[in-house]
Amino acid sequence: WCRDGNGPLFVECQTYRYHGHSMSDPGVSYRTREEVQSVRKGRDCIENMPNLIIDQGWADAAELKAIEKEIRKEIDEAVKIAKAATELPADHLTDDIYYNERP
């Protein structure tokens, strides 16, 4: 969009941290479990996106289930390959992270 000369694009992302900052911070001393559950139920895009897709008629539940099954298969295969691979040398750790050259 932007590279085609259509101007800038602005995306606002609001996040919510479900867990504390660390193991010593369970995240319940400054908010209730009910608050966390309420946010998860009402705003969690991973939980809500399938419902939106179905409600808009873009796919039905069976199609989404088939897509999820295929994705899980791809992920399982990628994990198997990654576990069998050797560790990358340190100078390759930032490969495929930057668009152009490394800073």
Side-chain angles (χ1 to χ4, degrees):
W1 168 264
C2 299
R3 288 185 184 163
D4 291 338
N6 295 309
L9 183 65
F10 179 78
V11 177
E12 179 183 11
C13 299
Q14 295 182 3
T15 62
Y16 188 88
R17 185 178 24 81
Y18 296 121
H19 305 285
H21 291 284
S22 66
M23 295 296 287
S24 63
D25 172 19
V28 292
S29 58
Y30 46 90
R31 58 188 173 182
T32 64
R33 293 184 194 280
E34 291 77 21
E35 175 190 337
V36 175
Q37 290 172 345
S38 173
V39 171
R40 187 179 295 259
K41 184 175 181 169
R43 290 183 26 200
D44 190 316
C45 61
I46 294 174
E47 297 293 326
N48 292 329
M49 187 53 70
N51 295 331
L52 175 66
I53 291 170
I54 292 168
D55 291 347
Q56 293 296 317
W58 298 329
D60 60 33
E63 289 173 300
L64 293 180
K65 191 77 164 170
I67 291 167
E68 185 175 334
K69 186 176 179 182
E70 185 63 31
I71 290 169
R72 288 192 185 279
K73 193 168 126 182
E74 286 182 36
I75 291 170
D76 289 344
E77 184 61 31
V79 167
K80 192 184 304 182
I81 291 168
K83 285 184 175 182
T86 58
E87 191 171 305
L88 283 175
D91 62 328
H92 287 278
L93 293 178
T94 58
D95 289 355
D96 303 317
I97 292 182
Y98 299 104
Y99 174 70
N100 286 323
E101 298 176 29
R102 293 182 208 169

